[in-house]
Amino acid sequence: MKLSLALIAVTAGTASAWTMSADSPAGKQSRRGFFTASAAVVAASVPAIANAYAVPDLPYPFEALEPYIDAPTMKIHHDKHHATYVANINKATEGKDEVPILDLMENALDAGPIRNSGGGHYNHAFFWEEMAPPDEAKKSKCSDQLEKMINKSFGSMDEMKEAFEAKAAPGATFGSGWVWVAVNKKGDELKIVNTANQDNPLMKGVLDEGVMFPILGLDVWEHAYYLKYQNRRPEYVSNWWNVVNWDKVSENCAYVVKEHAGVNVKG
């Protein structure tokens, strides 16, 4: 109705366009104005059809994580795999209200394709942001808060890494999935957990312990490492520490402890 009325108003306002000679400069100009105005009204009146979610740009070049994660893997992982999850979540949510991808995580297990495609988008967007080029990663540091939580929960950073690598081993996380360091619901302890496929600790029903808030996560699907490491997943996992941005992980920790909520991601 609004569109029809708007077009009527435009038509009435430019009716003189049709009374002028078709060959006169004034007539041509007036008709051009009519169609331009009509197009503007249509554009303003019809809801924009756009993808709610997008693959965020990497915060570094594809080759930036070399030699620990190779450029071809990063390009395929980001431009192909992540893009597929985004295309599928946009298809699954077409015609529905747009909400941040984080808001879809809690009830994802009951939401059909949102579980895999939405989880895949959230997990990858989270993953890209927690890494940095080796030189930068080496300079990054745990905050006092994060260091204290690591020591309280695991004993030391080395012991945390050892437990994480054990959880990421093929025997512990069989097939495709993710390994996470997550803050418990109370916000006073860290846990190392694994999830299958594109599940994550934010999803209700995934973990026996209930919802947790990830601050660090590692993709152990083969597409994340196979070009460089083939079947040597443990080598990939141990090398990955060289590109972890502890400044970002500390930021994640501070946020979830304070807000008791998951970290927002780009895209």
Side-chain angles (χ1 to χ4, degrees):
M1 183 64 179
K2 289 180 180 178
L3 177 58
S4 299
L5 291 174
L7 285 174
I8 290 170
V10 171
T11 303
T14 55
S16 59
W18 303 101
T19 62
M20 296 182 180
S21 169
D23 296 324
S24 70
K28 292 178 180 178
Q29 183 65 31
S30 189
R31 284 192 299 279
R32 187 178 298 114
F34 170 80
F35 287 117
T36 300
S38 299
V41 169
V42 171
S45 303
V46 178
I49 300 175
N51 292 331
Y53 307 104
V55 180
D57 292 337
L58 290 175
Y60 36 73
F62 292 119
E63 68 275 11
L65 306 185
E66 294 270 13
Y68 305 107
I69 302 180
D70 57 294
T73 291
M74 287 298 297
K75 184 169 179 58
I76 294 171
H77 198 175
H78 178 267
D79 289 1
K80 301 299 183 181
H81 290 282
H82 191 173
T84 298
Y85 291 118
V86 168
N88 288 337
I89 186 61
N90 281 327
K91 188 181 300 182
T93 57
E94 187 175 359
K96 300 178 181 178
D97 291 340
E98 295 182 15
V99 298
I101 191 67
L102 175 63
D103 292 358
L104 297 179
M105 294 299 97
E106 183 176 4
N107 297 309
L109 267 63
D110 300 321
I114 288 175
R115 178 177 185 175
N116 286 326
S117 54
H121 176 37
Y122 180 89
N123 295 350
H124 285 88
F126 183 97
F127 184 55
W128 310 134
E129 291 293 324
E130 69 185 10
M131 296 186 289
D135 288 347
E136 294 179 24
K138 189 175 182 179
K139 296 174 184 176
S140 67
K141 295 180 180 180
C142 289
S143 64
D144 289 343
Q145 178 191 43
L146 178 57
E147 185 175 4
K148 288 177 181 176
M149 291 190 74
I150 288 173
N151 292 340
K152 174 186 175 182
S153 303
F154 308 109
S156 67
M157 173 67 84
D158 288 341
E159 289 174 287
M160 187 274 285
K161 288 182 177 179
E162 184 179 348
F164 188 97
E165 291 177 24
K167 185 70 76 173
T173 303
F174 182 75
S176 303
W178 292 73
V179 181
W180 310 88
V181 177
V183 176
N184 67 351
K185 201 69 179 284
K186 291 183 179 179
D188 61 359
E189 188 178 8
L190 299 175
K191 297 281 189 179
I192 293 172
V193 297
N194 57 354
T195 56
N197 301 315
Q198 293 299 342
D199 289 351
N200 63 54
L202 295 167
M203 297 177 178
K204 189 165 55 180
V206 165
L207 301 175
D208 292 338
E209 302 92 328
V211 169
M212 294 186 185
F213 309 115
I215 62 171
L216 179 69
L218 176 60
D219 188 348
V220 294
W221 284 62
E222 285 189 344
H223 65 238
Y225 64 86
Y226 203 84
L227 289 181
K228 181 176 180 66
Y229 294 98
Q230 289 82 51
N231 63 330
R232 306 188 307 278
R233 186 198 287 181
E235 184 181 346
Y236 157 68
V237 177
S238 63
N239 279 342
W240 177 68
W241 297 116
N242 292 289
V243 295
V244 171
N245 181 352
W246 291 106
D247 292 336
K248 175 58 176 171
V249 180
S250 297
E251 178 185 312
N252 291 346
C253 183
Y255 179 84
V256 303
V257 168
K258 179 182 179 182
E259 302 295 335
H260 294 276
V263 175
N264 284 295
V265 297
K266 297 177 181 178

